[in-house]
Amino acid sequence: MSRAREAEKSIIKKFHKEIWCRFTKGIREYDMIREGDKIAVCISGGKDSMLMAKLFQELIKHNKVNFEMIFLVMDPGYNAANRQRIIDNASLLEIPIEIFDTDIFGSVYNIEKSPCYLCARMRRGYLYSKAQELGCNKIALGHHYDDVIETILMGMLYGAQIQTMMPKLHSTNFPGMELIRPMYLVKEEDIIRWRDYNELEFLQCACRFTQEKADDSKRLEIKRLIKDLSDTNPFVAGNIFKSVENVNLKTIIAYKQDGIKHHFTETYDDV
């Protein structure tokens, strides 16, 4: 059996509950894929996006909804070794990728304030643009469950706001385009288990900035904090996730809607 077939079999058999069921549940629950969609499955070369690509290949075999997909790789300025690793892994896993080039890493390398934020925005813009050029109406990104809860906590502790990483979004700059996150309910620990079970080696973050200043990463701090809290209370991660589903507006001092801030005193006397 080929390595690709082994990886596919493990998704359906060994990791059926932890990965496959959570993947399909997220797609159903958040209505991510509809009849006639053409989806650009965006691959960065890491474990998350590579697994997502394999999940999409399985989905199109079993799904009752007719949709198309392409596997899109944006090279933001990888060195030759990292680019080749993506190509080799895609070949190993029988993922037919399409690569296009940008110079995002070069553009953000000397920016001191929020380079990761800028890099992410630029990546998304280029992906939207290329996907639209190829006739797609959606891009799929490989963010997972842990990314969601880390984003919620980061917003509270470092951004003074309550917000979440949404499972799908309409693009504001590319009319008719959407972003979906099909691995929204898949936990990172299970992605790692799938990778290691199949003895696969993927890219870590290949950004020069992150490699040189990894210890300063706020997301890494949040990841460690959640782990420490979970050692005491195993329900912490789930409670963080559910907290943005159980917002009681009557107990909120203020909130923003469509860019306008509303204060609880506006309706306090409406009894």
Side-chain angles (χ1 to χ4, degrees), residues 48-267:
D48 309 326
S49 61
M50 283 292 192
L51 173 57
M52 180 177 67
K54 294 308 297 179
L55 287 166
F56 263 100
Q57 286 181 321
E58 285 300 309
L59 184 66
I60 210 159
K61 293 178 188 176
H62 304 285
N63 204 34
K64 295 179 181 179
V65 177
N66 292 316
F67 71 95
E68 297 179 62
M69 61 184 180
I70 59 172
F71 298 102
L72 192 59
V73 176
M74 180 191 65
D75 184 340
Y78 294 132
N79 62 40
N82 285 335
R83 181 184 175 108
Q84 190 60 47
R85 172 168 284 192
I86 295 174
I87 294 170
D88 291 344
N89 277 329
S91 176
L92 178 70
L93 293 172
E94 298 178 12
I95 303 168
I97 59 174
E98 179 166 339
I99 303 178
F100 71 102
D101 299 311
T102 69
D103 187 32
I104 294 175
F105 284 174
S107 299
V108 303
Y109 183 65
N110 292 316
I111 295 176
E112 295 184 3
K113 187 176 181 180
S114 303
C116 295
Y117 173 77
L118 178 59
C119 180
R121 283 185 62 87
M122 291 180 69
R123 281 172 179 251
R124 188 178 301 181
Y126 276 111
L127 288 169
Y128 270 132
S129 180
K130 187 65 176 180
Q132 194 171 56
E133 176 188 318
L134 295 171
C136 297
N137 65 312
K138 293 180 179 177
I139 64 171
L141 301 185
H143 297 117
H144 49 65
Y145 183 87
D146 296 74
D147 290 323
V148 178
I149 60 175
E150 289 161 15
T151 297
I152 295 168
L153 209 53
M154 283 181 69
M156 295 175 67
L157 300 184
Y158 296 116
Q161 58 187 338
I162 297 175
Q163 64 177 17
T164 189
M165 177 183 283
M166 297 295 287
K168 63 179 184 179
L169 292 167
H170 288 290
S171 172
T172 54
N173 297 319
F174 295 86
M177 295 292 292
E178 286 185 65
L179 179 157
I180 60 173
R181 295 183 169 105
M183 294 176 66
Y184 200 77
L185 301 179
V186 180
K187 296 181 179 179
E188 185 176 30
E189 63 182 359
D190 294 319
I191 299 172
I192 292 171
R193 287 176 57 231
W194 173 81
R195 178 199 66 191
D196 294 346
Y197 176 81
N198 289 286
E199 298 181 346
L200 297 167
E201 294 184 10
F202 300 119
L203 289 187
Q204 301 295 324
C205 180
C207 172
R208 289 168 290 176
F209 185 90
T210 304
Q211 286 177 327
E212 292 172 11
K213 300 191 177 183
D215 291 340
D216 294 332
S217 169
K218 289 291 185 283
R219 187 167 288 274
L220 186 58
E221 290 178 16
I222 291 295
K223 190 180 288 287
R224 288 170 176 165
L225 175 60
I226 293 172
K227 182 182 182 304
D228 290 344
L229 292 171
S230 298
D231 288 341
T232 303
N233 178 2
F235 300 107
V236 161
N239 287 342
I240 294 171
F241 186 91
K242 292 175 184 176
S243 68
V244 293
E245 296 180 343
N246 298 319
V247 177
N248 184 346
L249 290 179
K250 289 187 177 181
T251 65
I252 299 295
I253 300 292
Y255 66 94
K256 288 183 179 179
Q257 186 171 16
D258 298 327
I260 300 173
K261 187 173 182 178
H262 299 275
H263 198 272
F264 85 100
T265 56
E266 294 173 9
T267 57

